[in-house]
């Protein structure tokens, strides 16, 4: 009909155009009503063939028609999720984050078992469902975390719970990445467009946690602040350990392991400002270890013994050699 747009000043063509538009509108409304009735009455199983043919009609009506039907389907499928996890403080809390992901996996299985045959494969309705779920869940978490930070009753976010939720969320995102890895994906924003564009689930939910990773960085800062004074009062060698010209101070090995483990964890959780912040904290405490532990033993009353000097030099060389492997 686009070909005739420039001729709509002609009465016959204008009348024909209005008639076609009205017919398209009626078809659109009829298909939407058929879907709504079939799902409301639980008759989807017996009407799969009819509903599948109706989708072909929607394809012929254009992208806007297809987008309307898919959006309705997605909202219908996610209605229960929104009611349960947004309307109930306990169900929607971070403690029950696993229930959210279990719910979606069950819903996706229902789609594949009962509804996948209705929609054309090219519509990628399962992926649109996943995208809508992730967007809604991300917004939920943002609200939960913001409210937790505003609390004045001492019930703020527990750092260990925060990390546990973030890890579980990243695992869920990775599972979606693997599931929808093949081919170009269509996002819910492109349903009304002729173009498909790649969509990644990486960070689709977990980005809600990013601003709050500073809590974890602060906790690591506090932990390191207690470790350095403890190392300062420890003997350079354990009482039951013999001196060796190749030995290093045991606390340096413990500190190196802490650095390597925590930096790897931080890099896995965030590669943005939080990782930079944490690297600065590590640099600060490594300098403190050099000044308050190594240099402290060299500046003791009467000067250091030969064994202590060797241990300190070996330890400094150990860190010089190993520091480049911390992030590996």
């Amino acid at each position: 009909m686009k070909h005739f747009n420039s001729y709509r000043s002609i009465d016959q063509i204008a009348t024909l155009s209005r008639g076609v538009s009205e017919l398209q509108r009626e078809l659109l409304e009829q298909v939407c009503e058929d879907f709504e009735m079939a799902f409301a009455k639980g008759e989807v199983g017996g009407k799969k063939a009819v509903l599948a043919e109706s989708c072909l009609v929607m394809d012929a009506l254009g992208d806007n028609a297809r987008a309307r039907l898919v959006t309705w389907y997605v909202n219908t499928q996610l209605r229960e999720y929104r009611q349960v996890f947004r309307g109930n403080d306990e169900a929607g809390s971070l403690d029950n984050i696993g229930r959210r992901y279990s719910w979606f996996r069950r819903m996706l299985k229902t789609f594949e078992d009962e509804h996948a045959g209705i929609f054309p494969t090219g519509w990628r309705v399962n992926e649109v469902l996943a995208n809508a779920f992730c967007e809604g869940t991300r917004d939920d978490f943002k609200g939960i975390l913001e409210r937790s930070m505003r609390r004045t009753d001492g019930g703020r976010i527990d750092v260990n719970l925060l990390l546990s939720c973030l890890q579980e969320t990243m695992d869920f995102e990775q599972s979606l990445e693997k599931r929808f890895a093949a081919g170009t994906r269509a996002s819910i924003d492109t349903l009304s467009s002729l173009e498909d564009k790649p969509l990644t689930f990486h960070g689709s939910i977990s980005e809600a946690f990013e601003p709050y990773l500073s809590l974890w960085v602060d906790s690591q800062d506090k932990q390191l602040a207690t470790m350095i004074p403890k190392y300062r009062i420890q003997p350079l060698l354990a009482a039951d350990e013999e001196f060796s010209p190749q030995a290093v101070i045991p606390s340096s090995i413990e500190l190196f392991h802490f650095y390597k483990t925590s930096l790897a964890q931080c890099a896995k959780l965030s590669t943005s400002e939080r990782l930079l912040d944490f690297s600065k904290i590590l640099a600060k405490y490594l300098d403190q270890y050099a000044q308050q532990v190594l240099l402290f033993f060299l500046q003791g009353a009467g000067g250091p013994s030969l064994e202590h000097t060797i241990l300190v030099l070996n330890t400094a060389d150990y860190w010089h050699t190993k520091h480049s492997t911390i992030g590996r």
Side-chain angles (χ1 to χ4, degrees):
M1 290 299 296
K2 290 182 179 179
H3 173 73
F4 295 98
N5 285 345
S6 58
Y7 302 99
R8 295 185 69 175
S9 58
I10 302 173
D11 291 342
Q12 292 91 333
I13 292 180
T15 301
L16 177 62
S17 178
R18 287 194 297 271
V20 170
S21 296
E22 180 62 22
L23 179 60
Q24 289 176 332
R25 187 191 66 79
E26 290 177 359
L27 283 172
L28 173 62
E29 296 301 329
Q30 185 61 55
V31 169
C32 289
E33 183 179 343
D34 289 345
F35 266 83
E36 290 173 8
M37 293 298 292
F39 276 83
K41 294 182 177 181
E43 299 174 348
V44 175
K47 294 186 175 181
K48 276 188 178 181
V50 174
L51 296 177
E53 291 176 356
S54 297
C55 287
L56 300 181
V57 173
M58 296 301 250
D59 252 344
L61 291 176
D63 294 324
N64 289 337
R66 181 183 65 174
R68 175 174 166 179
L69 181 60
V70 174
T71 300
W72 170 84
Y73 175 78
V74 168
N75 288 334
T76 299
Q77 296 305 107
L78 293 179
R79 184 179 299 124
E80 178 190 350
Y81 172 74
R82 292 163 179 161
Q83 290 173 345
V84 171
F85 291 97
R86 290 181 183 173
N88 186 306
D89 290 340
E90 181 179 353
S93 68
L94 293 180
D95 297 285
N96 287 312
I97 194 171
R99 289 180 57 189
R100 290 176 177 265
Y101 303 140
S102 295
W103 186 95
F104 178 76
R105 291 186 180 99
R106 290 194 300 271
M107 190 206 68
L108 197 57
K109 187 176 188 307
T110 298
F111 169 82
E112 292 171 347
D113 293 344
E114 302 176 14
H115 303 158
I118 297 173
F119 301 99
T121 305
W123 288 17
R124 298 184 177 91
V125 175
N126 55 349
E127 190 169 354
V128 177
L129 270 172
N131 191 49
F133 172 84
C134 290
E135 289 180 349
T137 303
R138 180 187 65 230
D139 291 342
D140 286 351
F141 288 163
K142 284 182 177 180
I144 292 169
L145 292 166
E146 287 172 2
R147 289 192 296 273
S148 296
M149 291 300 292
R150 290 198 300 265
R151 291 180 63 172
T152 58
D153 58 0
R156 289 197 172 187
I157 306 170
D158 177 75
V159 174
N160 292 328
L161 175 61
L162 181 72
L163 292 185
S164 174
C165 291
L166 177 54
Q167 186 60 62
E168 190 167 358
T169 296
M170 293 172 68
D171 291 343
F172 176 74
E173 291 172 345
Q174 187 176 20
S175 71
L176 293 181
E177 280 288 317
K178 291 180 179 178
R179 192 181 197 106
F180 300 112
T184 304
R185 304 187 180 103
S187 77
I188 196 167
D189 296 328
T190 62
L191 285 173
S192 58
S193 169
L194 293 176
E195 297 181 0
D196 285 349
K197 59 183 180 182
L199 172 69
T200 177
F201 288 100
H202 175 69
S204 57
I205 302 175
S206 57
E207 72 171 37
F209 294 90
E210 178 70 28
Y212 305 95
L213 285 178
S214 58
L215 297 174
W216 178 79
V217 174
D218 291 343
S219 72
Q220 299 299 292
D221 190 343
K222 293 176 182 177
Q223 186 171 351
L224 282 165
T226 65
M227 292 168 67
I228 301 302
K230 181 184 70 173
Y231 293 154
R232 180 168 175 160
I233 62 175
Q234 286 180 353
L236 293 185
L237 281 178
D240 58 349
E241 186 176 351
E242 293 186 3
F243 171 77
S244 167
Q246 290 78 39
V248 298
I249 302 173
S251 63
S252 68
I253 299 175
E254 180 182 327
L255 184 63
F256 176 80
H257 178 72
F258 179 91
Y259 270 42
K260 189 175 181 68
T261 302
S262 57
L263 189 59
Q265 183 180 21
C266 186
K268 187 177 181 181
L269 300 176
S270 172
T271 56
S272 60
E273 292 182 10
R274 301 298 169 257
L275 181 59
L276 178 60
D277 293 341
F278 188 52
S279 66
K280 291 178 180 178
I281 288 174
L282 295 182
K284 178 181 72 173
Y285 284 104
L286 184 57
D287 182 66
Q288 287 190 18
Y289 183 79
Q291 298 294 326
Q292 299 180 23
V293 179
L294 301 186
L295 194 59
F296 170 75
F297 284 109
L298 291 179
Q299 295 176 337
S305 66
L306 179 60
E307 291 184 355
H308 283 186
T309 302
I310 292 173
L311 285 171
V312 169
L313 291 176
N314 285 348
T315 299
D317 185 62
Y318 169 81
W319 267 98
H320 176 73
T321 303
K322 301 284 287 184
H323 81 279
S324 61
T325 68
I326 289 179
R328 296 178 186 173

